[in-house]
């Protein structure tokens, strides 16, 4: 029997995942009527339903030891792809070949049993990966040390905060040494120090020859960590290859679409976004970013803000409504217009976009990278020869310099 070796970790061919969406108007039909129609036509698709393709004929190869990023707007199919690869969701069509054990860290709540303790869940996850108890024990101390939840190890994880939960989940996924590590945007709920720690661990895992697949909206992370990136759009692969080119493609795909508003969830709904002045903004003028929204229930640490993103997709800066005014930390339910003003003489000439970011601090994002409002900063009248206008860097602030002579001191 002839044996062959492959340098692939993941092989995907024609992967499709479809869902049936119920579009019928509620209250128009009673249960008995629906039941009789189903009995008369058991094979017919339900009235008022349509097929939604979360993934549409996706083909992709990932080599062993590669660190590959999956980027795209919300609803592009990123998380669905990871769930199919993690065997959480069955594909509708297509073939997937995984060459090695898979460790997954998807949304908070996936992979752990809430009634079991942290200690028990470590052994449970190891068993799911096909590891022996001795193998798990040999890595147990490293997992606990990385997670920093030693004092709560024998507490049911249903009592963990989201941050504690993610710390332990990532530690388990990374330290049980799967050949393929799959990580969703869930790391965004951790603090900055924890995120740096996770980035270091993923880099170390990759250097050991293992494969890492990461979904993220953080373009700075993409440039720092990924060897290659894949842009998903509407369930299809729009681009794959060089990270910088992928980021540029992702940024271009974020043109504003009015029909995508309102967006949000049961806590918050974004109704409108605008940038003034629109389109062309003289660098000497301030820029107002306005957001009209509804807060549907009081939620402490609800943070509403925006990123300013340059033409390469890098975040120039991020600002939230309560950064300098802690009294805005908890807004009562109601309708609001929030306005943030970008100071004049801050951004150098170039193309930018505003991306709304809304989330509950250290818990979850509600709105992120789903709407881009573009604008262009230009030199105004009489500013053609402004000093430093074409220097490197994203910002060009007016710095108040003083010069003090020491000759006559």
């Amino acid at each position: 029997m002839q044996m062959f070796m492959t340098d692939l970790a993941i092989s995907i061919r024609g992967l499709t995942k479809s869902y049936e969406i119920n579009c019928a108007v509620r209250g128009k039909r009673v249960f008995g009527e629906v039941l009789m129609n189903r009995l008369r036509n058991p094979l017919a698709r339900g009235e008022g339903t349509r097929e939604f393709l979360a993934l549409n004929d996706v083909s992709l190869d990932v080599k062993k030891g590669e660190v590959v990023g999956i980027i795209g707007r919300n609803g592009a199919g990123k998380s669905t792809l990871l769930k199919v690869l993690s065997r959480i969701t069955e594909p509708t069509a297509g073939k997937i070949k995984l060459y090695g054990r898979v460790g997954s860290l998807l949304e908070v709540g996936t992979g752990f049993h809430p009634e079991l303790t942290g200690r028990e869940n470590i052994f449970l996850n190891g068993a799911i990966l096909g590891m022996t108890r001795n193998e798990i024990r040999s890595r147990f101390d490293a997992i606990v040390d990385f997670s920093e939840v030693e004092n709560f190890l024998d507490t049911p994880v249903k009592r963990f905060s989201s941050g504690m939960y993610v710390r332990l989940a990532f530690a388990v996924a990374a330290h049980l040494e799967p050949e393929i590590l799959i990580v969703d945007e869930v790391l965004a709920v951790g603090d900055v120090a924890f995120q740096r720690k996770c980035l270091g661990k993923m880099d170390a895992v990759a250097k050991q020859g293992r494969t890492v697949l990461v979904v993220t909206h953080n373009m700075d992370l993409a440039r720092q960590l990924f060897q290659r990136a894949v842009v998903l759009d509407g369930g299809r692969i729009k681009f794959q290859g060089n990270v910088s080119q992928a980021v540029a493609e992702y940024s271009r795909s974020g043109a504003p679409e009015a029909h995508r508003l309102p967006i949000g969830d049961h806590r918050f709904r974004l109704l409108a976004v605008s940038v003034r002045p629109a389109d062309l903004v003289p660098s000497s003028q301030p820029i107002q970013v306005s957001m009209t929204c509804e807060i549907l229930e009081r939620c402490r640490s609800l943070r509403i803000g925006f990123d300013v993103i340059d033409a390469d997709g890098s975040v120039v800066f991020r600002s939230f409504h309560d950064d300098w005014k802690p009294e805005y930390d908890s807004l009562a339910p109601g309708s609001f217009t929030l306005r943030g003003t970008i100071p004049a003489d801050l951004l150098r000439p170039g193309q930018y976009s505003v991306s709304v970011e809304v989330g509950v601090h250290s818990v979850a994002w509600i709105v992120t990278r789903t709407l881009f409002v573009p604008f262009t900063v230009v030199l105004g009248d009489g500013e053609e020869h402004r000093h430093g206008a074409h220097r490197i860097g994203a910002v060009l602030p007016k710095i108040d310099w003083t010069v003090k002579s020491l000759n006559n001191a």
Side-chain angles (χ1 to χ4, degrees), residues 5 15 26 82 101 127 139 171 180 198 258 266 268 271 276 288-289 318 325 336 366 381 388 404:
M5 300 293 289
L15 180 62
R26 293 182 181 179
L82 296 198
R101 294 182 300 204
R139 299 173 178 89
I180 303 168
C198 291
H266 63 281
F268 173 92
L271 305 179
R276 295 288 183 271
Q288 289 192 338
V289 180
R318 171 175 290 176
K325 294 188 176 181
F336 299 88
I366 298 174
D381 294 338
K404 180 180 180 181

Side-chain angles (χ1 to χ4, degrees), residues 121 222 362 409:
N121 271 297
S362 294

